[in-house]
Amino acid sequence: MIRPDGDEPKRTLGLRPEFWGSREGSAESQKHSLNLRRLWKTTVLIMTVVSITPLVVMTAVDYTVTQKSTESELLLRTSRIASNTKRVVLFSLLERMTALDFIVQDNRFQMLTDCTRMEAILKNLQQSFGGFVDLGIIDSTGQQLCYVGPYDLSGVDYSDQDWFRSVRDQGMHISDVFPGFRRVPHLVIAARHELPGGGFYVLRTSLEAEFFNTQLSDLELGGMGDAFIVNAEGVLQTSSRMHGKVLDTIDLAVPEYSNSTRVYKTQTQDGRTVLIGYAYIPQTPFILMIVKQKAVLMEPWRATRRKLIGFLALSISAIMVVILAVTTYLVNKIHWADLRRVATLHQVEYTNKMISLGRLGAGVAHEINNPLAIINEKAGLIKDLFVYTDRYADDPKLTGLVASILTSVKRCSDVTRRLLNFARDTDGEAKPVDLALTLTEVLEFMGKEEEYRSIEVTINIDEDLPTLVTNYGKLQQILLNLINNAFAAVDDGGRIEIVVRESTDDTITIQVEDNGCGMTEHELTRVFEPFYTTRRSRGGTGLGLSITYSLAQELGGSIDVESEPGRGTQFRVTLPLAVERKRGSVDEGTAG
Amino acid sequence: MKVLLVDDEEELVTALAERLSFRGIDADWSTSGSHALELAQAHAYDVAVLDVKMPNISGIELKKRLEKTRPDMKYIFLTGHGSEEDFWAGSAEASQYLVKPLDIETLIETMRQVVQK
């Protein structure tokens, strides 16, 4: 419930702050109030921007920096693995070539054509190095002179084979992996050796393709990594985990030639991003490739990122909650202060108005009282003449006329007395008040309305009511406002009941109940709010009840209200039996 | 009982004086403070009925001056401004205080009371 002054009400349930609806108030209250909704929005906006922007910027920067460093770290690591693996593969190939060279140096040509000797050499090679499948000696025409190994290749003519032409021309050949005559993937290492008497022969050995796999399978790649070797056409020389088996063509582009290890990022056909480290193995047709799934590698970073974003979201939520709560609290405070300020302003205006009205009334009453006194005396004199001289005693009509004049004078003087009483006491001191008399006086102010509209007014006062000591003028205004409201609320023929009871704690309760139109829940919450009125079109200012509320507080009491639409309204004023006397305000009496 | 009526409204005091005379009370009247002082100098009165608000000399001022010549005289004040504050403001010493328009019987009763005191 909004009250013009006094304590703030308890928050009603719901998220809408009290001030939010203040714009719905009258144009007049707008004139005095700040635009709180805009203030709230601006404050929330500024505080949100100021507190959240640095947080978001820092998080974004951190996000980018860690992403970049993680990525470059991954690239570096991939490059290092590719480089190391290249060296291992190259070394093992060179190792085997050196072994072949040693055989040639250790054995003359005739010894090498001895297949028994060759068998022994192959056995030694297999034991010492591994990977060797067979050995063969081929003469310069391409005829295999001696072959030791699991296949039946003796006497095979290699003269039209590419590798043979290559070794004949270049002295040395390492072949791609190919199935060859034996239909098993293998690669061939062949070296040309000059014979002392001119001509040459070729020592040829084949290594099973599996030989590479042993080199690569040991690698710890992580992140669904894959290491394999391809030739320049993209045909797999080793089996791979993700990109096919030996002699399949890989689904990735063959990287361009480079004499150093390189790393690059690319998309696979199914849309995944992969990091590829590769190295061309010198003097061979082989390209070593390390392929890593970027998504898998970035997973730890992603996990951290999720935590970071979660923390950010949590922080932003907390900040927003605090900002909203604090802003709403403060703007509500401002709203109350503003309402109080406006109410005070208008109470002062109202009080001044009442004082002016009172002075005017008193002036009028005073001016009327003097001629009224003359009329009174003259009419009295006429009456006396009738009574004391007997001259007109027989004329009942004249006597009646005079009596009528005197009655009217009495009525006039009652009015002026009431006006004078009303004018006084707005700031007067507390004194004993006869509540029954006060209520009668207030009802007299309502004039003949009660009668004309057939409104049934009952006053019900406790017989043994203790004397109420209070400010008469303020009490009169409170009652006048409440009774005036009750008159406005009821239909013709309505009922107004005023009940005065002593309640506990040295207080009395004055209850003004009507069976009029009543108020809705919403109207009820705003009934004491300044400028809130449902009768604006009929000249309501919306100040009556807010001032009544203040007056009741000034008397040390309170007002509460119950209402039901269509059933009626009940205002209850609770006043202490005695207000604390405050000295200092001496009335300026105008004698006369 | 001899009474002095002072009010700036001649119509009021004359009618009042005549009404009192009907009731056997001898009343002189005056419409100004100075004339009232002259009357008091010349005659002795039991009660003076003074209007509080009058031009030149107010009822309260008049009472102070009359007290010098006639210390035994009693006073009743009349006011058109029916407030007790007027009474407390300056006429605390006044024996009685009445609001206009007057009820003649109340006035006579009040005069009797103050004289007997």
Side-chain angles (χ1 to χ4, degrees):
Chain A
M1 190 185 296
I2 292 178
R3 288 161 177 185
D5 53 19
D7 294 336
E8 287 164 36
K10 288 194 178 106
R11 287 295 300 274
T12 44
L13 244 137
L15 289 172
R16 212 170 93 121
E18 296 283 351
F19 66 83
W20 202 258
S22 66
R23 201 186 267 188
E24 292 162 19
S26 64
E28 195 173 356
S29 72
Q30 279 292 296
K31 197 168 66 185
H32 297 278
S33 312
L34 312 162
N35 187 341
L36 294 173
R37 214 191 276 201
R38 197 168 62 194
L39 177 68
W40 185 87
K41 281 181 187 162
T42 315
T43 312
V44 167
L45 188 73
I46 290 172
M47 284 172 76
T48 307
V49 169
V50 164
S51 49
I52 288 180
T53 308
L55 201 64
V56 170
V57 168
M58 277 167 66
T59 311
V61 168
D62 185 63
Y63 176 92
T64 322
V65 167
T66 48
Q67 187 185 28
K68 283 211 175 116
S69 77
T70 309
E71 263 185 37
S72 71
E73 168 72 21
L74 285 176
L75 289 175
L76 195 67
R77 206 181 307 160
T78 308
S79 158
R80 207 180 304 136
I81 289 175
S83 169
N84 288 345
T85 312
K86 176 190 96 174
R87 229 170 284 138
V88 169
V89 171
L90 182 61
F91 174 75
S92 56
L93 278 173
L94 285 175
E95 190 183 39
R96 278 154 187 79
M97 283 163 71
T98 313
L100 290 183
D101 197 42
F102 174 75
I103 293 166
V104 171
Q105 301 299 330
D106 197 36
N107 300 276
R108 278 175 289 121
F109 176 65
Q110 284 74 15
M111 289 166 77
L112 291 175
T113 50
D114 174 6
C115 287
T116 326
R117 169 91 187 139
M118 285 289 272
E119 224 164 290
I121 290 172
L122 176 64
K123 202 176 162 195
N124 288 340
L125 281 174
Q126 283 170 335
Q127 273 176 2
S128 305
F129 295 93
F132 286 97
V133 177
D134 54 10
L135 264 179
I137 292 289
I138 294 125
D139 68 12
S140 54
T141 63
Q143 285 293 313
Q144 179 131 279
L145 301 176
C146 174
Y147 170 82
V148 287
Y151 306 103
D152 181 19
L153 297 172
S154 299
V156 171
D157 183 0
Y158 286 116
S159 59
D160 56 348
Q161 295 264 323
D162 287 343
W163 69 265
F164 182 75
R165 279 199 289 275
S166 168
V167 78
R168 186 185 61 201
D169 300 341
Q170 288 162 26
M172 161 86 195
H173 176 77
I174 297 175
S175 76
D176 293 349
V177 172
F178 66 105
F181 292 112
R182 62 187 77 163
R183 305 288 156 220
V184 171
H186 65 285
L187 67 102
V188 166
I189 301 176
R192 192 181 74 169
H193 297 281
E194 307 299 325
L195 285 167
F200 68 91
Y201 72 93
V202 171
L203 180 62
R204 171 192 173 280
T205 185
S206 62
L207 298 171
E208 51 194 357
E210 196 58 29
F211 151 78
F212 281 135
N213 285 349
T214 55
Q215 316 262 330
L216 300 177
S217 63
D218 299 344
L219 287 175
E220 295 219 356
L221 292 170
M224 306 275 281
D226 206 352
F228 50 84
I229 292 170
V230 293
N231 64 11
E233 284 77 45
V235 176
L236 276 164
Q237 308 293 290
T238 61
S239 60
S240 76
R241 264 189 246 171
M242 315 279 295
H243 301 275
K245 297 206 178 324
V246 183
L247 300 179
D248 290 349
T249 305
I250 53 162
D251 50 1
L252 297 162
V254 176
E256 64 174 18
Y257 178 76
S258 161
N259 54 12
S260 62
T261 310
R262 282 211 179 158
V263 187
Y264 67 97
K265 208 160 46 167
T266 186
Q267 298 265 323
T268 59
Q269 280 161 357
D270 52 4
R272 283 170 304 167
T273 307
V274 288
L275 296 182
I276 297 179
Y278 72 94
Y280 275 75
I281 300 173
Q283 300 155 34
T284 72
F286 303 132
I287 308 164
L288 173 76
M289 289 178 78
I290 307 277
V291 180
K292 288 178 170 182
Q293 307 287 334
K294 191 183 169 210
V296 179
L297 290 172
M298 294 298 273
E299 188 48 36
W301 171 78
R302 255 180 248 277
T304 315
R305 185 184 68 169
R306 272 196 296 276
K307 278 183 204 158
L308 194 71
I309 288 174
F311 180 73
L312 182 71
L314 216 67
S315 308
I316 289 176
S317 312
I319 289 171
M320 285 313 293
V321 166
V322 169
I323 287 176
L324 289 176
V326 168
T327 311
T328 307
Y329 175 77
L330 289 179
V331 174
N332 253 342
K333 282 274 178 208
I334 294 173
H335 173 57
W336 288 113
D338 197 36
L339 270 189
R340 262 195 288 263
R341 179 180 66 81
V342 172
T344 312
L345 214 66
H346 282 273
Q347 205 186 336
V348 169
E349 269 175 34
Y350 179 81
T351 311
N352 285 339
K353 201 154 79 184
M354 291 311 283
I355 289 171
S356 309
L357 267 179
R359 290 211 171 124
L360 182 71
V364 170
H366 186 219
E367 290 309 316
I368 287 174
N369 258 355
N370 280 325
L372 211 54
I374 295 167
I375 297 170
N376 186 51
E377 296 314 324
K378 295 292 182 196
L381 183 56
I382 296 170
K383 196 180 165 192
D384 288 353
L385 288 172
F386 295 167
V387 174
Y388 291 96
T389 63
D390 296 342
R391 247 186 290 172
Y392 308 96
D394 296 339
D395 195 336
K397 193 179 179 191
L398 278 180
T399 321
L401 286 172
V402 171
S404 164
I405 292 173
L406 285 171
T407 314
S408 296
V409 168
K410 177 77 174 66
R411 267 174 61 190
C412 282
S413 74
D414 283 348
V415 171
T416 53
R417 197 156 305 176
R418 239 181 4 242
L419 268 176
L420 287 166
N421 275 337
F422 176 73
R424 202 177 321 121
D425 274 346
T426 35
D427 283 315
E429 292 190 1
K431 55 184 112 175
V433 172
D434 182 347
L435 254 172
L437 191 68
T438 312
L439 280 168
T440 317
E441 273 181 3
V442 168
L443 283 169
E444 277 173 3
F445 266 110
M446 301 309 297
K448 300 235 174 243
E449 191 175 351
E450 180 185 341
E451 207 175 297
Y452 292 154
R453 293 178 54 198
S454 325
I455 295 168
E456 182 194 341
V457 182
T458 51
I459 301 179
N460 189 344
I461 299 183
D462 261 357
E463 295 268 319
D464 50 351
L465 196 71
T467 316
L468 175 66
V469 179
T470 193
N471 180 300
Y472 174 77
K474 286 175 184 170
L475 177 67
Q476 197 183 35
Q477 279 188 36
I478 292 172
L479 295 174
L480 189 60
N481 279 335
L482 293 184
I483 290 171
N484 200 9
N485 277 357
F487 268 81
V490 294
D491 293 326
D492 291 358
R495 185 173 48 77
I496 297 171
E497 192 182 4
I498 302 162
V499 181
V500 185
R501 295 257 175 280
E502 183 184 5
S503 31
T504 50
D505 305 334
D506 294 333
T507 57
I508 62 152
T509 309
I510 305 165
Q511 185 175 307
V512 180
E513 188 174 1
D514 65 65
N515 66 345
C517 53
M519 282 181 275
T520 63
E521 189 91 358
H522 177 70
E523 287 169 345
L524 210 54
T525 59
R526 302 188 63 184
V527 68
F528 294 116
E529 192 177 335
F531 308 113
Y532 181 75
T533 177
T534 54
R535 297 203 297 265
R536 191 171 300 288
S537 57
R538 283 169 283 159
T541 58
L543 284 171
L545 278 173
S546 89
I547 285 164
T548 307
Y549 188 91
S550 313
L551 288 172
Q553 282 201 328
E554 282 170 29
L555 295 183
S558 62
I559 289 192
D560 57 298
V561 58
E562 278 173 33
S563 188
E564 205 177 313
R567 295 285 298 274
T569 307
Q570 187 186 73
F571 281 98
R572 242 189 331 272
V573 186
T574 308
L575 294 175
L577 280 175
V579 289
E580 279 189 24
R581 279 170 173 273
K582 44 175 186 182
R583 301 232 32 119
S585 58
V586 178
D587 279 13
E588 33 173 310
T590 39
Chain B
M1 188 157 58
K2 204 163 158 53
V3 179
L4 175 62
L5 299 175
V6 188
D7 194 309
D8 56 330
E9 295 278 3
E10 189 180 337
E11 295 284 351
L12 182 77
V13 276
T14 50
L16 201 54
E18 200 173 346
R19 293 188 76 188
L20 287 173
S21 68
F22 276 123
R23 288 162 176 77
I25 295 167
D26 187 8
D28 285 348
W29 56 267
S30 164
T31 54
S32 72
S34 48
H35 183 231
L37 283 167
E38 285 169 24
L39 283 175
Q41 204 84 46
H43 314 277
Y45 297 99
D46 298 304
V47 183
V49 178
L50 309 177
D51 186 16
V52 177
K53 195 176 178 186
M54 286 188 293
N56 300 324
I57 304 168
S58 78
I60 290 154
E61 176 64 29
L62 182 59
K63 179 193 171 223
K64 282 180 191 159
R65 298 210 197 158
L66 286 172
E67 273 175 341
K68 286 174 189 159
T69 24
R70 302 282 173 193
D72 298 334
M73 198 160 57
K74 309 290 184 193
Y75 299 90
I76 291 174
F77 284 99
L78 299 183
T79 174
H81 195 166
S83 77
E84 286 173 59
E85 275 73 16
D86 296 339
F87 176 70
W88 295 118
S91 52
E93 319 249 322
S95 310
Q96 278 299 335
Y97 162 90
L98 292 172
V99 179
K100 290 197 264 187
L102 294 167
D103 176 29
I104 189 81
E105 305 306 334
T106 315
L107 177 65
I108 294 167
E109 179 60 26
T110 312
M111 289 193 295
R112 294 227 163 91
Q113 279 175 10
V114 297
V115 169
Q116 275 164 24
K117 256 187 196 173

